[in-house]
Structures are given as structure tokens and as C-alpha cells.
Amino acid sequence: NNSEDSSASNNDQSAKCPHCRTNFTKNNIQVDLLLQKQINDSTNTITCPFKGCNTEVPIGQLKQHEESCPYIRMKCRYAEWGCKWTGRKMDLPSHYDTECDFGS
């Protein structure tokens, strides 16, 4: 059966861990708790990757920053209904108020 063959091959695809370079598959992937702790405890900073932001964030707090970053690129909440707008999170209110044909 072809569907069984393709699902088996998807589970057998391997990748290398970017930290330790060990091979893993979808079936045996594990969270590296020691590495996660080292990242969270690190005092090293990284610049927010979203154009225009330039905020320096501790590496372990990047995900939290990305959740609230006003420069993150987003689609309109009505994208599934056909709105093609994509822009910065900070520009969403203006889009909804003045541009979006699907909002009220």
C-alpha cells in the first residue's frame, strides 16, 4: 500500500541536532533540557530579527519578545476570507479601521 510506504518514509526521515549534531527522527526527537537551561540562564543577547525593531533581548527571552513585538509580520485575521493584507502587528488596528473590506 502506497500510503503506508509514504508514512513510514516520513517517520524515517532524519535530521541532525544543530547543537550536538546527533541524528534524530520524528519518532525519537527529545527536548535537550540541559541546553534549554543554558539558553534560559544565558546573559547573551540577540537583536530582534524583525525589520525595524532592533531591540536587544536575552536569548532565553526571544520567544516571549516575539509574541509582543510590534514589528512582527502578520496576516489580517480575515485572510481566510480573502483579505490579502500582510504587515506589521502595530499596523493592524489602522488596517482594520480604514482598509479592510472584511472587518466591521
Side-chain angles (χ1 to χ4, degrees):
N1 182 334
N2 285 344
S3 65
E4 287 178 21
D5 292 342
S6 66
S7 65
S9 65
N10 285 340
N11 290 336
D12 292 338
Q13 290 178 348
S14 67
K16 282 192 189 274
C17 170
H19 178 67
C20 69
R21 308 305 298 160
T22 302
N23 284 325
F24 64 91
T25 67
K26 183 178 175 183
N27 293 328
N28 69 0
I29 191 169
Q30 296 178 358
V31 174
D32 186 333
L33 296 176
L34 178 60
L35 178 59
Q36 189 173 24
K37 181 173 177 12
Q38 289 172 335
I39 290 170
N40 289 337
D41 292 347
S42 175
T43 57
N44 293 335
T45 60
I46 187 168
T47 304
C48 177
F50 298 109
K51 185 177 179 180
C53 183
N54 301 321
T55 300
E56 289 287 320
V57 181
I59 276 181
Q61 296 176 14
L62 183 60
K63 289 287 184 206
Q64 293 109 325
H65 172 75
E66 288 178 347
E67 291 173 9
S68 63
C69 181
Y71 290 90
I72 192 169
R73 305 275 305 166
M74 301 184 76
K75 290 181 180 180
C76 175
R77 72 174 130 204
Y78 301 108
E80 290 182 7
W81 295 3
C83 184
K84 305 273 187 237
W85 184 89
T86 301
R88 300 176 303 183
K89 184 177 189 174
M90 70 170 72
D91 298 328
L92 271 173
S94 173
H95 166 69
Y96 294 138
D97 290 343
T98 61
E99 302 168 5
C100 188
D101 295 332
F102 299 91
S104 47

